[in-house]
Amino acid sequence: MQKIASLIVLIIFISCNSKAQNTSKENKKYKIVKTESEWKALLSPLQFNVLREAGTERPFTSSLNKNDKKGTYVCAACKTALYKSEHKFDSGTGWPSFYSAVKENVELDVDYKMGYARTELKCNTCGGHLGHSFDDGPKPTGKRHCINGAALEFISKE
């Protein structure tokens, strides 16, 4: 019993460690920088919550989830190209999912907001939160970039 109690205390101590909230790139300088009020004037409340506050939209609410048109998905904040339609797939999770990104435009970071390490995806131009990467995607990469539709805009090829 004492071993279990010690293990629980250790887990709580590790998860509450203040350094766990820091990321390796928290001091990164992005090409596009705006004040909070400038972002709020530019974005809808949902876009601001997702992109600037790392929020998550409700599943199955984005019109982009079932979008099967050819084109490019860009950052809703700065219009940087992030994903190509040919890399999109239906993951069944309720969020637009991609197995590959425009590599130089999507930054991989680590967040501990859930108490454990997750790979966070950000726009490499403005730092906007896009979603998270998981290792349960299709070939050829095996990755699933689970992206908030509110973080994206779609530009049709047509």
Side-chain angles (χ1 to χ4, degrees):
M1 185 68 173
Q2 186 176 4
K3 287 182 180 182
I4 293 172
S6 297
L7 181 61
I8 291 171
V9 169
L10 179 63
I11 291 170
I12 291 171
F13 177 75
I14 289 170
S15 67
C16 293
N17 185 346
S18 64
K19 289 186 179 184
Q21 298 303 315
N22 295 332
T23 65
S24 59
K25 299 180 182 183
E26 72 180 20
N27 293 323
K28 178 175 176 166
K29 302 287 186 230
Y30 293 98
K31 294 175 194 167
I32 296 177
V33 178
K34 296 184 183 298
T35 65
E36 183 175 319
S37 59
E38 288 173 323
W39 284 123
K40 282 184 176 182
L42 181 69
L43 303 169
S44 73
L46 177 60
Q47 289 172 323
F48 182 83
N49 175 255
V50 168
L51 287 159
R52 307 318 308 168
E53 299 177 316
T56 302
E57 69 188 1
R58 291 181 301 131
F60 302 102
T61 58
S62 172
S63 62
L64 296 179
N65 190 36
K66 296 290 185 182
N67 181 33
D68 60 357
K69 296 175 184 169
K70 300 294 181 205
T72 304
Y73 293 85
V74 301
C75 176
C78 70
K79 313 308 180 227
T80 296
L82 302 171
Y83 295 96
K84 304 273 185 195
S85 60
E86 57 264 28
H87 299 141
K88 187 174 186 285
F89 69 99
D90 185 359
S91 65
T93 61
W95 291 279
S97 297
F98 304 85
Y99 62 82
S100 183
V102 177
K103 290 188 194 282
E104 62 273 7
N105 295 346
V106 176
E107 170 188 350
L108 278 65
D109 203 352
V110 179
D111 87 42
Y112 295 91
K113 294 176 186 95
M114 299 291 289
Y116 57 90
R118 294 189 302 170
T119 302
E120 181 181 12
L121 301 166
K122 296 179 179 179
C123 174
N124 202 26
T125 302
C126 70
H129 170 79
L130 305 172
H132 292 88
S133 178
F134 302 96
D135 293 327
D136 59 2
K139 293 183 178 185
T141 66
K143 299 292 183 188
R144 172 174 54 96
H145 287 200
C146 188
I147 306 298
N148 290 284
L152 302 173
E153 287 182 7
F154 179 72
I155 299 175
S156 179
K157 205 173 211 179
E158 300 164 3

